[in-house]
Amino acid sequence: MSKEGSKTLHQPDEVGQSMPILAIKDVHKSFGGLKALDGATLSVEKGKIVGLIGPNGSGKTTLFNVIAGALKPDSGEVWFKGERIDGLKPYEVYERGLVRTFQVPRLFFKLPVIDNILLAGRNQIGDTFTKVFLKRSAWIEQEKSLIEKALSIAELLGLSEVLTQPASNLSGGQMKLLELARALMSDPITLLVDEPAAGVSPLLVENMFKKIYELRREQNLTIFIIEHRMEVILNYVDWVYAMHKGRVIASGPPAEIIQNKQVIDVYLGEAT
Ligand SMILES: Nc1ncnc2c1ncn2[C@@H]1O[C@H](COP(=O)(O)OP(=O)(O)O)[C@@H](O)[C@H]1O
Ligand SMILES: [Mg+2]
């Protein structure tokens, strides 16, 4: 059923019917005595934008670290495209098309923006010294198409004007967009985006979420996005999970979650 134009793109019952591309089952992860994840369970449907909210310290980034292979869970399972991926190395998860961005951008700050984007291209012939000689024409062709792709991603994310500037010159918001551009360059199937709006001006945030929203449509991506302030993502996500103390305390369409008493209580608790 198509709901073109509406912002919440499906009804809850439709979610239940589609296949999850990513599933997290009863994941536990402790740091010393601290239970950062305490039985986290959730799933992300293919082609959706799903939000993960929760107060600071509720385990959101730890969950992304476990999904992306940066942390091994103490117990529990992570499934991606029907395959169990917990325990895989970060590059093995990345190779499967599950690509993350970081809460604090990790860029090559001295390099120009365009180089930052280009470096994220996969399987580059130019990476191997001998291939550069043996496959020279293929290499040149590949470089050309990578550049075209990088330019179109830069345009999509509004980075065309700053391509030749070192990444260190960018504003906080532009750095977040550059992280996204790098992630897109790697042809992700599913993107994990950690707090893209943190430290970004409200106008740019609005713009950025519109771009993320467009991306999902244009590139048939699945996007799982962490945002601390739920009102920020309200208009852009299909489904929301709320975390508290390492577990999911509520899930549903954004309009429902924003009124959920338990969710409101944990946010109010944080404020006091
Ligand atoms: N590498 C680590 N070592 C020790 N404690 C950690 C580590 N990473 C996260 N934590 C702790 O785990 C809890 C959850 O953190 P985090 O996942 O970053 O929360 P969120 O992203 O929701 O703000 C916090 O109490 C945090 O201090
Ligand atoms: Mg975090």
Side-chain angles (χ1 to χ4, degrees):
M1 187 165 58
S2 164
K3 289 213 168 52
E4 293 294 318
S6 85
K7 281 193 168 169
T8 305
L9 295 178
H10 52 68
Q11 300 300 315
D13 57 347
E14 291 180 65
V15 171
Q17 283 167 13
S18 46
M19 259 287 286
I21 190 165
L22 175 67
I24 288 107
K25 295 182 186 169
D26 199 24
V27 167
H28 290 76
K29 179 74 193 174
S30 294
F31 298 108
L34 184 114
K35 290 180 180 172
L37 294 175
D38 190 17
T41 298
L42 57 81
S43 60
V44 174
E45 310 296 333
K46 192 169 187 317
K48 302 281 192 260
I49 305 185
V50 174
L52 180 61
I53 64 166
N56 275 324
S58 54
K60 306 182 296 297
T61 297
T62 303
L63 184 65
F64 269 25
N65 283 332
V66 166
I67 297 170
L71 286 175
K72 217 175 161 158
D74 299 333
S75 63
E77 299 174 7
V78 181
W79 292 79
F80 181 60
K81 289 194 297 172
E83 181 193 8
R84 200 153 159 199
I85 61 161
D86 48 277
L88 294 186
K89 300 262 182 309
Y91 75 89
E92 293 172 317
V93 175
Y94 174 86
E95 277 171 357
R96 283 161 174 75
L98 186 49
V99 176
R100 62 142 359 144
T101 70
F102 291 90
Q103 189 166 357
V104 178
R106 297 189 178 181
L107 303 168
F108 298 100
F109 290 98
K110 288 184 180 166
L111 291 183
V113 168
I114 182 71
D115 289 3
N116 269 275
I117 302 176
L118 278 169
L119 280 168
R122 282 181 197 258
N123 303 320
Q124 297 191 24
I125 296 170
D127 285 348
T128 320
F129 188 69
T130 48
K131 283 189 187 163
V132 168
F133 290 99
L134 298 173
K135 300 189 173 179
R136 191 172 163 76
S137 61
W139 175 47
I140 292 170
E141 277 311 304
Q142 191 190 43
E143 292 283 298
K144 273 192 202 157
S145 75
L146 284 172
I147 289 170
E148 270 169 29
K149 185 171 161 191
L151 291 177
S152 81
I153 289 171
E155 191 175 350
L156 183 71
L157 294 177
L159 292 168
S160 300
E161 305 293 309
V162 292
L163 284 177
T164 56
Q165 296 195 29
S168 57
N169 278 13
L170 301 183
S171 69
Q174 287 172 321
M175 286 183 190
K176 298 269 184 173
L177 289 170
L178 181 52
E179 271 251 329
L180 255 187
R182 289 172 48 79
L184 288 173
M185 192 68 189
S186 68
D187 297 323
I189 294 166
T190 296
L191 264 184
L192 304 174
V193 191
D194 195 350
E195 296 220 25
V200 179
S201 74
L203 199 69
L204 196 54
V205 166
E206 187 81 351
N207 212 357
M208 185 162 60
F209 280 114
K210 280 191 184 134
K211 307 256 188 221
I212 291 174
Y213 196 77
E214 282 166 25
L215 278 176
R216 188 272 304 271
R217 269 171 193 263
E218 284 174 18
Q219 310 209 359
N220 194 27
L221 279 174
T222 306
I223 301 175
F224 191 24
I225 190 164
I226 293 178
E227 177 51 56
H228 173 65
R229 297 160 298 172
M230 66 180 144
E231 67 283 2
V232 173
I233 50 167
L234 201 60
N235 290 334
Y236 301 102
V237 293
D238 301 308
W239 194 257
V240 180
Y241 286 99
M243 273 184 90
H244 181 49
K245 295 188 174 166
R247 47 171 68 232
V248 172
I249 57 163
S251 69
E256 224 170 76
I257 292 302
I258 204 159
Q259 292 179 29
N260 180 292
K261 184 169 180 325
Q262 229 186 329
V263 174
I264 293 167
D265 284 350
V266 301
Y267 271 93
L268 287 178
E270 189 195 32
T272 54

